[in-house]
Every structure is written in C-alpha cells, then in structure tokens.
Amino acid sequence: MEFSSKLLENAVYEMSQLPGVGKRTALRLVLHLLKQPESQTGRLTQALKSLREEIKFCRSCHNISDVELCEICANPKRDSGLICVVEDIRDVMAIENTSQYNGLYHVLGGKISPMEGIGPQDLNISSLVEKVKSGEIRELIFAMSSTMEGDTTNFYIYKQIQDREVRTSTIARGIAVGDELEYADEITLGRSVLHRIPFETSLKAD
C-alpha cells in the first residue's frame, strides 16, 4: 500500500495494530477522522490519553475502574460471600447485562495457556486463593469460557482451594463447548449463572 504522506502512513500503521483491524480498514478509519472537525479528533485523542494514564484496577476484584475500589465491590447491596471468577472485564460486563447475578467478581486477567506461555503465576489467582483463605467466601462460581484453557484454569484453582470450606460451582453448560463467554446471548448466559452446578459434578461429566 503506497502512501502520499508519511504522517498518514504512520497513523494507518498504528490503527492497524488494533485487533481485527487490517490495513484497508485502518485507512478508512484514519481518512474518516481527517474529515471530522478537529475538536472531535481532539476529544478522541484526549479520551484515549486519559484512559491510558488514569485507569485503575480494583484492588479487590481486579476489574477496570476509575477508583481504587470499583462500584461493584463498593456496593453494600451485593452479596460479598459469592464470587464469580471470570477471565476479563468483558465477561463482567456480559454477566452484569443479564441482571441475574448479585454477587461480586474476581477477574483473573486471562486463562492458563501453556501454548501461549501463560501460567498460573501470570494471572490473579493468588489473591483469589487468599480471599478464600480469609473464610469470608462461601461460594466460587467458575464462569470461564468452556474451552480447554478455561477448564484447565478452573481445575487449577479448584485444586488450590479444595481443602477449604467453600462451595465451588460452574455455570451450566448452556454455553456451547468452545464458545467464548462474551459472545453468548444474555438470556442463555443469565440462565447458565442461575442454574450453575457443583464444580465436582462437572469434573465427573468430563
């Protein structure tokens, strides 16, 4: 792809680094931005700059937040004895959109994947285990994607806490095997959370 401007080429290159954005799509987006008022482009630039510099991660659940303790963890109406274990922020948003869950979350920040060089030490697992050890948690809901990596992560956490007096469950497999959680429709996902099953049962089923 030939460019008449180095500035244009650099902008297209940076835009094309985003997931799912190829060079042609990046070019269309950059040209669209050039057609917009400078003030609008400035607001987008400032929003991205503020996001990168000021974003925080909740000190309790590791969810993305504007403050030290996210709104979900700070809400006294949430059931603090119920923790839903998810891969990332997108899964929190997906489950919240169902309006079927009133507990708290724990965002792992990924899933165990030896092929990608991601081990337990790379995830927010130790802080979850510490929560369980505190004795304030009565149930963990494993809401990872139903993939091999998701199941491996669930099993690893289960082994770390199995000697503790805490119930473990997994969302019902209304979510098709191999599907990513964020793409599930809200009704199916909501029912999966409501009709979760004991994690030990899921091990026997496998």
Side-chain angles (χ1 to χ4, degrees):
M1 188 178 290
E2 296 294 328
F3 294 91
S4 59
S5 163
K6 193 67 177 177
L7 293 173
L8 176 63
E9 182 178 359
N10 290 341
V12 169
Y13 172 78
E14 294 300 335
M15 190 74 76
S16 69
Q17 300 308 296
L18 295 173
V21 178
K23 283 285 183 68
R24 293 185 183 279
T25 300
L27 177 60
R28 286 199 300 271
L29 292 172
V30 170
L31 292 178
H32 172 76
L33 289 173
L34 280 176
K35 293 178 182 178
Q36 304 309 303
E38 188 175 341
S39 59
Q40 183 174 337
T41 308
R43 288 194 296 272
L44 173 61
T45 302
Q46 184 57 48
L48 293 174
K49 186 173 184 292
S50 298
L51 173 71
R52 196 67 186 90
E53 295 177 352
E54 301 174 22
I55 202 70
K56 295 177 175 62
F57 291 91
C58 176
R59 57 181 166 82
S60 178
C61 73
H62 307 287
N63 193 9
I64 289 177
S65 175
D66 293 341
V67 291
E68 293 296 325
L69 191 66
C70 74
E71 292 183 357
I72 295 175
C73 288
N75 187 346
K77 296 182 179 179
R78 306 289 294 220
D79 185 348
S80 60
L82 188 60
I83 302 291
C84 186
V85 182
V86 297
E87 181 180 344
D88 61 29
I89 173 70
R90 294 170 297 180
D91 300 328
V92 173
M93 295 172 67
I95 294 174
E96 282 296 285
N97 285 337
T98 71
S99 300
Q100 299 292 324
Y101 178 69
N102 193 44
L104 301 181
Y105 295 90
H106 188 91
V107 181
L108 295 177
K111 51 194 172 188
I112 297 173
S113 177
M115 294 292 291
E116 297 179 12
I118 302 174
Q121 72 281 356
D122 301 310
L123 307 176
N124 299 318
I125 292 178
S126 59
S127 57
L128 175 61
V129 174
E130 288 303 314
K131 283 182 185 178
V132 173
K133 288 181 178 179
S134 72
E136 299 175 1
I137 309 302
R138 72 173 186 280
E139 181 181 355
L140 286 185
I141 304 172
F142 294 123
M144 302 290 287
S145 299
S146 52
T147 59
M148 182 179 295
E149 292 81 6
D151 288 342
T152 298
T153 307
N154 288 342
F155 186 69
Y156 178 85
I157 296 171
Y158 172 72
K159 294 293 287 183
Q160 300 301 304
I161 62 170
Q162 63 178 344
D163 59 339
R164 299 285 169 172
E165 292 186 4
V166 59
R167 180 188 176 195
T168 53
S169 59
T170 182
I171 56 175
R173 296 295 184 170
I175 308 299
V177 174
D179 278 2
E180 293 292 338
L181 203 64
E182 63 178 300
Y183 300 124
D185 66 273
E186 294 174 6
I187 294 177
T188 299
L189 183 56
R191 287 176 178 171
S192 293
V193 173
L194 283 177
H195 301 296
R196 59 189 180 274
I197 60 176
F199 184 68
E200 294 92 334
T201 303
S202 72
L203 290 177
K204 294 174 184 177
D206 293 339

